Amino acid sequence: MPIVAAGIRPLIGLPTYMEQASFGSWNVPSAVLHREYPAMVARAGGIPVLLPPVGVAGPELIARLDGLLLTGGADIDPARYGGAPEPSLGYTRPDRDDSEFELFRLARAAGLPVLAVCRGLQLVNVALGGTLIEHLPDVVGHERHSGGPGSFTEVEVRTTPGSAIAGILGPRVAARCHHHQAVAELGHELVATAHATDGTVEAVETGSGPFLIGVQWHPEADAADDRLVRALVAVASEKAPTVGKALAAVKDQPL
């Protein structure tokens, strides 16, 4: 990855949660994200940029990013794919939906590389016209994808030979999962390129166009394996030299 080695590290956007959080003497609404996400981006050679769901993303934000990592979190509002809330629907976050659907649309239009994780994959699928299974255990008959509160379960995932994700991870993945929803109907342009043994779609990608991979599992939960985010950073690095040249041009100018 010569561009990163030369010191021009790409900026990777990471949408955050907006939740009540306690720290120090405070217990207040806060923009928060699991530490493992930015740590993973930094290990891979990128610079993590946290994007709280405040307002709707605009082109000026996308122009400053080199890549986008859509993070996990709340269920997508089923109204966005023509569904109705079922009793098993988890919590939703309309502010994140508003912000991140537009963020993804703009990133896609600008040709930004995108890695989508768990909720991120579901958002990408819905944004491209797909639908979701609202409660996966009702379909597969077990809860082995869900894990317990605040924990992950290991799911064997098999990738499709010749796919981009197979080229990055190989034929099998011991995936760290925590999801009760999954892809139902695939969105336009998307191809399912990894499945659990029960048939659940665990990864999607596009056959052509800008880098776009979505995984239903949580790569940030395995600090020993950064291959997916390294692939994102490698592609994002191709955009970074433009920013690097601009910085070099002004570095020595007086204030």
Side-chain angles (χ1 to χ4, degrees):
M1 205 180 300
I3 294 171
V4 174
I8 304 172
R9 299 169 60 199
L11 302 178
I12 307 298
L14 296 158
T16 74
Y17 296 67
M18 192 72 86
E19 302 290 342
Q20 194 78 11
S22 297
F23 49 94
S25 60
W26 302 98
N27 188 326
V28 293
S30 305
V32 296
L33 185 65
H34 298 272
R35 182 183 184 276
E36 288 81 1
Y37 283 107
M40 176 175 64
V41 170
R43 286 195 305 267
I47 298 174
V49 179
L50 302 188
L51 306 174
V54 179
V56 177
E60 67 279 4
L61 170 60
I62 295 299
R64 288 167 169 81
L65 297 177
D66 302 307
L68 180 63
L69 197 166
L70 293 170
T71 54
D75 290 348
I76 305 295
D77 182 351
R80 288 186 176 265
Y81 52 90
E86 297 180 359
S88 55
L89 182 70
Y91 72 99
T92 60
R93 289 292 181 266
D95 56 346
R96 286 194 68 182
D97 287 355
D98 290 344
S99 175
E100 292 167 33
F101 272 91
E102 183 64 5
L103 187 61
F104 173 66
R105 186 189 72 80
L106 291 169
R108 214 42 203 151
L112 235 58
V114 177
L115 174 63
V117 169
C118 198
R119 163 191 159 88
L121 178 152
Q122 296 166 7
L123 185 147
V124 164
N125 190 58
V126 172
L128 295 177
T131 61
L132 300 178
I133 298 168
E134 277 199 46
H135 193 55
L136 185 60
D138 292 343
V139 175
V140 296
H142 61 79
E143 297 189 3
R144 289 193 292 274
H145 294 271
S146 305
S151 65
F152 299 98
T153 185
E154 190 170 288
V155 174
E156 180 183 348
V157 173
R158 299 172 184 174
T159 62
T160 301
S163 63
I165 198 162
I168 297 168
L169 299 179
R172 293 174 185 265
V173 181
R176 309 285 178 89
C177 288
H178 183 95
H179 64 96
H180 82 110
Q181 298 195 318
V183 169
E185 181 181 352
L186 274 170
H188 309 304
E189 308 174 42
L190 294 178
V191 179
T193 53
H195 295 80
T197 54
D198 60 15
T200 301
V201 174
E202 288 287 341
V204 299
E205 60 191 67
T206 54
S208 60
F211 179 101
L212 173 58
I213 292 177
V215 293
Q216 189 58 78
W217 67 89
H218 286 265
E220 81 283 359
D222 185 358
D225 187 356
D226 292 331
R227 288 176 292 173
L228 275 171
V229 77
R230 286 186 182 278
L232 171 69
V233 168
V235 177
S237 297
E238 298 172 5
K239 183 176 183 295
T242 303
V243 178
K245 289 176 183 177
L247 290 174
V250 302
K251 183 175 66 172
D252 298 324
Q253 292 182 10
L255 294 176

